[in-house]
Amino acid sequence: MHSREHLIYRFGGFELDPFERRLLRAGEPISLTPKIFDTLVALVVQAGHVVSKDELLKLLWPRGYVDESNLTKHVWVIRRALGEGEEGSHFIETVPKLGYRFVAPVTVHRLPAPAAVPNASDEVAPIPPAPPSLVPSPPELSSPPETASAKDAGPVGRVKRRPSTLVLLLSGVGLAVVVVIGWRLTQKPAESPGSVRHSRTVALVGFSNLSHNAKDAWLAPALLEMLGVELNVADNLQVIPDELVRDASTDLAPPAAGGYAPDTLRRLRQRLDADYVVSGSYMVTGPSDDAPLRLDVALQDTRSGALLASVTNQSPTPGLILLVENTGARLRTTLGARSADSQTLSLMSNAQPPNVDVARRLGYALDALRHFDAARARDELLEAVADAPGYAPVYAYLAQAWSALGYRDKSLAAAEQALQHAANLPPEQRLQIEAIADTAHAEPGKAAEAWQALAQMKPSNVEYRLQAIDAQIAAGAISDARATLDELERLPEAGMDPRLELAAARVAASLDDPKGSEAHAENALRQAQMNDSAGLIAVAQLTLGGARNHLNKNEQARTGFMAAIAAYRSVRNPRGEAAARTDLAQALSSLNRNQEAREEYQRAMALDQSIGDLAGVAGVYRNECSLLWVAGDRDGAQDAAQHALQLARETADLSMQAWTLQALATLASDDAASDTALNEFREAAGVDRRAGHQTAWPLSNIADLQRMRGELDAARDTCAQAQTEAAPLTDPQFAIFSGFTCALIEMDRGEEDSARTGFQEVIRRVGTGGDNTYLDNSLMMLAQLDMDHGRWIEARARLEQARGGFAAAEERTGEANAQAILALCAQALGDAAARDQAEDRARKLRQSITLRQEIYVVDIALARLDGEIQADPTAVARLLALAADAEKRRWVGWALEARLAAWEILQERDAGAAHRLRDDIERAARRHGFGRIASLLQRADPIPPKSNR
């Protein structure tokens, strides 16, 4: 190897090596995606000088225009990685309107390339290759999957007096193409008499690159994967998945020659429940592709600390496959492993990479996935597919990479390819890939059957039962999930695994039992903390926060989510941190801290963008859309929805496309009940059907829009269809929304008894786990019906309750509507003080709301109050102008309401004009079927003038 030198930059306890593309803090690596790493290098190399935004944009995105916000988010991620704000540290200065300056002192060091080290050899006879665990280990320990529900599937439309709701749709079974196979991270309890562990656990802790050459870095992840294949062939050995080992060993120093010290082994045993630890190192001598490769492996007993085997093998690099087989054979012999049958062994070679080039691609891809760089992993895996188009495991990892980037269709296609090429794999590996493909196809029932078959094949395997539980929950087979959990708890191998408590928490959540979910999550957190398991601590905190959020323990939920963020950061998991920040934003919104919520959404988006997760970014835009709509910011909500739709189309995410189409249609209907808006709702329903989802929500939206257009017969039919589709769904939100919409239609038609029954049923359903928005709106509608009959005291009580609910949730449009109607009610009761207070609050809220259709009730009520209290001569003209505007926008109901208010004022001023207006109102009401308006006219003026007969 020839000698060369490269530059190392050191600053504030950090070491930046552009040549090796490595950032270290106190010797520990910090993960950055390629473009963010390049941004840091550009700033550090020119430390002390301003680097303009244009210069950075051209450097990082030379092929085209990229919005400046991407650069801003890159700098935010760098500041976060460097710990800006911790102990007053400061590294990057923003120079307004120019760019950025790296301000920390930087020293530059020149280092030569390391010298070559001689190889040694320990020859071991080759044996037949071994089976892998084909379930790919994802790059992070993500939060547990949840059953899709309306509550977390989209923005809640805040239905007011005449609602135009933002959509809330079922996103379908979540695509988890590459299933997380974890391991227990707990200290084993004392085994009771007769309790027999049927298998032993092995942790592959890592391999050091002694040559320190970046071109050989692929070997470490490749060796872990391939040796895992070799050890998993034994019936009585189970290899702990790599992502959990990384969480447990993040803060441990690399092992010395011969393995870890006894104290470190004890910590690994406590964290991983590992019986044995395998560690080692490798060295490639020379730059050529066939350079000599030496592999040193140590096998240790975690109980005694004894070194059971020290294996050294060497070969030219192209001989890697055979070298790994030899090493695996020696380890299995030492461990007394029971091998599989001869037929299974004959198929094992198909599970290992077919050659060293594919192994190299796979190693680079696995390294990229560990560093949350799915785009780099995808590129390597596509090259591997080209080199070995029949190698099934590489397709499974490619499915994972596409999924992490948000491309669900491509992920599904890769999973299907994995299944098609799995025929030459052993039965266990074929079943694993079948489960992956079933999950990708949103067939959780079939996936559950596959995991259960695997559990029968290997009864002591905890992982298969955990996967079966999640698949059963996704399929709605909750009783089966509980039975599987009971079986799992009886396994000696399960011990006091905190993941069992997390599974129990998910089962409880699927049964609408947030208290039970909270209790199980608390137990999981205690167990994970007892064993210092940072990865599971993060998951438990996230699960606990979610349960408390459902229990309206919002401050406790906030604290839990912040703890989850800290835990995910400690294990360098940006994907988990983004999920925790998204949940934190929702908790802050529940606490009416909307500005802080928006900031957290932006941080989550920056993290998702930093790892290339387009689906995650789209999800944040969706949440922002909901938040902005609730705050009355129509334009901001529309912008967020358009961004989400663009990303959904890029990634072929049908669920997100349906959601955003409904959101945009709702926003369009806030401008006019146009044919365009109606067609957009119908398009959303079609997308839902293509995705295999229910259409109760888009049908309810279509019915509501038909109602607004005065097509009440069609609206009634459509709403009945929506209720039929909502009836069998477990999430109550669908029945609540369709029921509320149908009740509004009955109210407009003048079917008062049916409408009251519908609103009361909505209130009852909300009490069992629905959105309080619909409870408050139903109270307003019932109050309106009370006011129609002059029952002012009953109406005021309902309105006060609704106003309080809207105010507590910081739903300004809803509160403005309730306050305006309260002012009318107080006026009828002769309570001037209450009237003025409610009117003033309604006017103040109205000033900041940009919504159009949902605020009509305020505008009509305020104009009517001006006409009745102050005898404002312009009040009637304002109401008629509102009616004309509503008619132009095809809001027939609002046009009638505005004219009705004008008529009530005119009766005291101009009888002739009032009679003419009454005639117009009645004709329009009867033509469109608005029976309630016609009835109100009859009650107020039972004997119309002769000219109207």
Side-chain angles (χ1 to χ4, degrees), residues 186 210 267 535 754 829 861 869:
T186 148
L210 295 183
R267 292 178 71 183
S754 179
L829 289 168
I869 300 168

Side-chain angles (χ1 to χ4, degrees), residues 362-568:
L362 183 59
Y364 279 132
L366 290 171
D367 178 71
L369 289 173
R370 290 173 181 175
H371 291 88
F372 302 93
D373 190 351
R376 180 162 63 93
R378 172 204 57 197
D379 295 343
E380 294 290 348
L381 291 165
L382 287 171
E383 293 288 344
V385 165
D387 291 342
Y391 181 45
V394 77
Y395 287 105
Y397 280 113
L398 181 58
Q400 177 183 350
W402 280 124
S403 182
L405 291 168
Y407 291 89
R408 297 192 175 189
D409 278 0
K410 293 182 179 182
S411 182
L412 189 152
E416 186 62 32
Q417 286 286 335
L419 182 60
Q420 290 179 12
H421 293 291
N424 62 349
L425 294 176
E428 182 178 0
Q429 284 68 46
R430 284 202 304 271
L431 269 174
Q432 290 174 356
I433 286 187
E434 282 180 22
I436 292 170
D438 289 336
T439 304
H441 283 285
E443 295 180 335
K446 289 185 177 180
E449 291 175 4
W451 291 121
Q452 287 287 53
L454 284 162
Q456 293 299 317
M457 186 179 293
K458 286 196 171 178
S460 61
N461 191 302
V462 175
E463 317 311 317
Y464 292 154
R465 285 184 168 82
L466 284 172
Q467 294 300 330
I469 290 169
D470 285 335
Q472 288 161 339
I473 291 173
I478 310 305
S479 59
D480 291 343
R482 295 181 71 173
T484 304
L485 182 60
D486 290 341
E487 294 172 3
L488 186 52
E489 289 171 342
R490 290 194 292 269
L491 281 181
E493 284 79 6
M496 292 181 62
D497 189 339
R499 290 175 311 133
L500 271 65
E501 287 292 335
L502 288 170
R506 296 195 293 277
V507 170
S510 66
L511 292 170
D512 294 323
D513 178 15
K515 289 185 178 179
S517 183
E518 179 187 36
H520 287 298
E522 287 174 337
N523 289 339
L525 180 59
R526 280 193 293 269
Q527 291 175 1
Q529 289 171 334
M530 179 180 67
N531 295 286
D532 196 22
S533 304
L536 281 183
I537 288 172
V539 177
Q541 291 281 19
L542 196 60
T543 305
L544 183 57
R548 287 174 172 168
N549 216 17
H550 279 283
L551 290 167
N552 291 322
K553 298 180 180 179
N554 297 314
E555 185 57 43
Q556 289 177 275
R558 184 190 70 85
T559 301
F561 292 139
M562 292 180 67
I565 289 168
Y568 278 122

Side-chain angles (χ1 to χ4, degrees), residues 119-163:
N119 288 334
S121 176
D122 180 8
E123 295 295 333
V124 179
I127 65 168
S133 173
L134 279 183
V135 182
S137 303
E140 82 283 347
L141 184 65
S142 63
S143 58
E146 297 180 357
T147 304
S149 71
K151 281 187 284 189
D152 54 25
V156 176
R158 305 311 186 188
V159 187
K160 306 300 183 278
R161 172 61 185 88
R162 292 285 176 177

Side-chain angles (χ1 to χ4, degrees), residues 6-17:
H6 61 269
L7 302 179
I8 303 292
Y9 299 85
R10 292 175 180 157
F11 50 89
F14 293 89
E15 181 176 287
L16 178 67
D17 186 344

Side-chain angles (χ1 to χ4, degrees), residues 22-44:
R22 181 169 56 210
L23 176 66
L24 303 176
R25 181 178 189 176
E28 292 295 317
I30 295 175
S31 175
L32 296 176
T33 58
K35 286 193 184 297
I36 293 176
F37 185 88
D38 292 341
T39 307
L40 176 61
V41 170
L43 294 172
V44 171

Side-chain angles (χ1 to χ4, degrees), residues 839 843 864-873 909:
E839 181 184 358
R843 290 185 188 279
R864 181 173 170 181
L865 286 168
D866 287 343
E868 291 183 1
I869 300 168
Q870 302 174 14
D872 184 347
R909 300 182 185 176

Side-chain angles (χ1 to χ4, degrees), residues 167-169 658 662 681-682 684-686 688 694-704 718 722 734 737:
V167 293
L168 185 75
L169 61 99
Q662 289 188 74
F681 278 130
R682 287 171 174 155
D688 268 329
Q694 57 75 36
T695 57
W697 205 274
L699 286 173
S700 297
N701 275 312
I702 291 170
D704 189 52
T718 305
F734 298 100
F737 180 38

